[in-house]
């Protein structure tokens, strides 16, 4: 990571941070946002008003203390936001970028939010990880920032947690992207080299390089992956590859396992997370109206299409497609989902390597889960998070934080999983 105390890069980062902070000084002061920038001498920082901390839930006698056990107040149907933030705060490498104040030196003052969303998010993570255990704080300033970036979140009605997550990460990316960051460029290239993909996927590196020229940030470094869509012509055998970046993956629930809200008879209503991956990467037959226009044999031919992963990210976000919307109906799938807490191996869904077997399997451990309780008519979000200080699981239910073994989780509730890869270390 950057060393703010010395070297040309440190001085340049300091000047950039100071310029950013001066530009938005009045706005931060009005909102009462405290800028915690320990890497910059306090005498050089503009002073912002300290946001009032209101602790709605007192520390309960006999409860275990520790960092990262601060709840988030429900401001009126904001549980969708609270669950997302707690899940992100439970992912050590991403949280660490903000707690060590690297974001101060990476602000893009020409972004739509001029860096204020990243500053608000960083401040909230500081409150969660430095606050009194079992107290609670407000995410109101962050909500206001996101609402300015994505106006649909203005007000206090319920929203989809995954939709909010995407807009939040997109906003943080815009505030923190820097295409000239050589350290991040090298990291992304090393990731592709690390996975040792077969030479027939050589286009993946060029595609990633093109993407990173304008889209490089801590968000992409942490959550960014790459998949390939392979199409094979059944007439001549020609193969084509299209490479696409992703920040999260939406996994379908197999139809044989689907159980809908209100069903009186449930058949095979339990599946494993790997079953969802198998369906996601299953070969699709292109025929009839969907036949492939092959550039090699110049005919419309039957073909197969399959998705595979070229580069799996350090932090993997998995969204389970529990909700379906049509013109005439809205349904929620309440299928019970089995998932590994540790050792989720996705090597079987990755592209081939030069050596055949992956020398470095893509293995993940679970850090947090956003859950949805209830149905389409009315529901509630909360989060189960693994505390890295004591290796215990906690249920973050708005202001209330309680120790809860993950085995107590209702298997029909998991909606968004946050996994961390074992063998990749982020560059900060």
């Amino acid at each position: 990571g950057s060393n703010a105390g010395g070297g040309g890069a440190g001085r340049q980062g300091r000047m950039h941070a100071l310029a950013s902070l001066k530009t938005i000084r009045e706005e931060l002061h009005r909102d009462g946002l405290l800028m915690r920038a320990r890497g910059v001498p306090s005498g050089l920082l503009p002073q912002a008003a300290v946001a009032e901390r209101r602790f709605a839930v007192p520390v309960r006698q006999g409860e275990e203390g520790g960092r990262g056990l601060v709840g988030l107040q429900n401001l009126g149907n904001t549980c969708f936001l609270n669950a997302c933030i707690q899940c992100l705060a439970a992912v050590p490498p991403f949280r660490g970028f903000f707690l060590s104040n690297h974001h101060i030196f990476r602000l893009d003052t020409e972004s739509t939010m001029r860096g204020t969303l990243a500053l608000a998010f960083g401040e909230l993570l500081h409150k969660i990880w430095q606050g009194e255990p079992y107290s609670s704080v407000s995410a109101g300033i962050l909500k206001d920032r996101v609402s300015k970036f994505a106006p649909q979140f203005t007000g206090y009605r319920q929203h989809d947690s995954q939709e909010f997550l995407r807009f939040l990460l997109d906003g943080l990316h815009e505030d923190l992207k820097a295409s000239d960051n050589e350290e991040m460029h090298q990291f992304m290239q090393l990731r592709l080299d690390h996975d040792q993909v077969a030479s027939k996927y050589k286009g993946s590196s060029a595609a990633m390089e093109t993407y990173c020229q304008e889209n490089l940030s801590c968000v992409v470094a942490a959550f960014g992956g790459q998949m390939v869509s392979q199409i094979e012509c059944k007439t001549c055998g020609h193969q084509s590859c299209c490479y696409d970046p992703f920040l999260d993956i939406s996994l379908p629930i197999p139809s044989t396992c689907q159980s809908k809200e209100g069903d009186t008879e449930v058949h095979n209503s339990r599946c494993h997370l790997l079953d969802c991956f198998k369906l996601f990467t299953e070969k699709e037959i292109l025929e009839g109206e969907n036949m492939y226009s092959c550039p090699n044999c110049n005919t419309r031919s039957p073909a197969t299409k399959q998705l595979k992963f070229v580069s799996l990210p350090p932090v993997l976000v998995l969204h389970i497609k529990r909700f379906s919307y049509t013109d005439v109906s809205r349904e929620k799938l309440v299928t019970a989902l089995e998932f590994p807490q540790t050792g989720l191996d996705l090597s079987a869904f990755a592209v081939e390597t030069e050596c055949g077997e992956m020398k470095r399997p893509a293995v993940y451990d679970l850090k947090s889960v956003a859950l949805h309780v209830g149905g389409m008519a009315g529901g509630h979000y909360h989060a189960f998070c693994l505390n890295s200080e004591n290796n215990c699981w906690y249920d973050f239910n708005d202001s209330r934080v309680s120790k809860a073994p993950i085995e107590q989780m209702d298997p029909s509730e998991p909606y968004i999983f946050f996994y961390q890869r074992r063998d990749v270390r982020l560059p900060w």
Side-chain angles (χ1 to χ4, degrees), residues 267-285:
H267 302 285
N268 299 320
S269 59
R270 179 178 294 271
C271 72
H272 195 279
L273 187 59
L274 290 178
D275 295 326
C276 300
F277 271 100
K278 289 175 183 176
L279 179 58
F280 182 75
T281 57
E282 189 176 63
K283 277 189 178 181
E284 177 186 356
I285 306 298

Side-chain angles (χ1 to χ4, degrees), residues 230-241:
Q230 297 175 283
I231 298 180
E232 181 176 348
C233 176
K234 302 305 288 184
T235 299
C236 69
H238 172 75
Q239 291 185 339
S240 65
C241 294

Side-chain angles (χ1 to χ4, degrees), residues 125-313:
L125 289 192
H126 274 288
K127 288 182 178 181
I128 291 172
W129 275 85
Q130 295 175 353
E132 186 178 1
Y134 305 103
S135 63
S136 68
V137 295
S138 170
I141 294 174
L142 178 66
K143 181 187 178 300
D144 177 67
R145 290 287 175 267
V146 175
S147 298
K148 289 181 178 179
F149 177 75
Q152 63 267 44
F153 294 106
T154 303
Y156 295 95
R157 66 184 183 87
Q158 182 70 283
H159 289 274
D160 183 271
S161 195
Q162 190 242 357
E163 181 187 13
F164 173 80
L165 175 65
R166 283 189 164 182
F167 277 101
L168 174 61
L169 291 181
D170 191 32
L172 291 174
H173 167 69
E174 289 296 320
D175 266 2
L176 297 167
K177 68 180 179 182
S179 58
D180 60 347
N181 190 314
E182 187 61 30
E183 185 180 36
M184 292 256 191
H185 272 290
Q186 291 177 357
F187 170 72
M188 297 303 286
Q189 185 58 53
L190 283 171
R191 271 184 48 192
L192 290 175
D193 296 342
H194 175 85
D195 289 333
Q196 299 178 314
V197 300
S199 56
K200 73 176 183 177
Y201 302 105
K202 60 184 179 182
S204 64
S205 184
M208 183 66 83
E209 178 63 27
T210 300
Y211 175 71
C212 289
Q213 283 178 0
E214 298 295 334
N215 295 282
L216 196 55
S217 69
C218 68
V219 174
V220 170
F223 300 97
Q226 186 188 58
M227 64 177 66
V228 60
S229 175
Q230 297 175 283
I231 298 180
E232 181 176 348
C233 176
K234 302 305 288 184
T235 299
C236 69
H238 172 75
Q239 291 185 339
S240 65
C241 294
C242 179
Y243 300 94
D244 292 305
F246 66 86
L247 293 180
D248 64 2
I249 301 167
S250 291
L251 295 174
I253 296 175
S255 58
T256 55
C257 306
Q258 290 184 3
S259 174
K260 298 176 182 177
E261 178 192 2
D263 280 356
T264 55
E265 294 186 18
V266 177
H267 302 285
N268 299 320
S269 59
R270 179 178 294 271
C271 72
H272 195 279
L273 187 59
L274 290 178
D275 295 326
C276 300
F277 271 100
K278 289 175 183 176
L279 179 58
F280 182 75
T281 57
E282 189 176 63
K283 277 189 178 181
E284 177 186 356
I285 306 298
L286 303 179
E287 55 188 2
E289 293 182 355
N290 298 318
M291 282 199 297
Y292 174 54
S293 296
C294 181
N296 187 58
C297 60
N298 294 314
T299 61
R300 282 180 55 79
S301 305
T304 60
K305 177 182 177 181
Q306 185 176 27
L307 293 174
K308 289 185 178 181
F309 297 104
V310 180
S311 179
L312 283 157

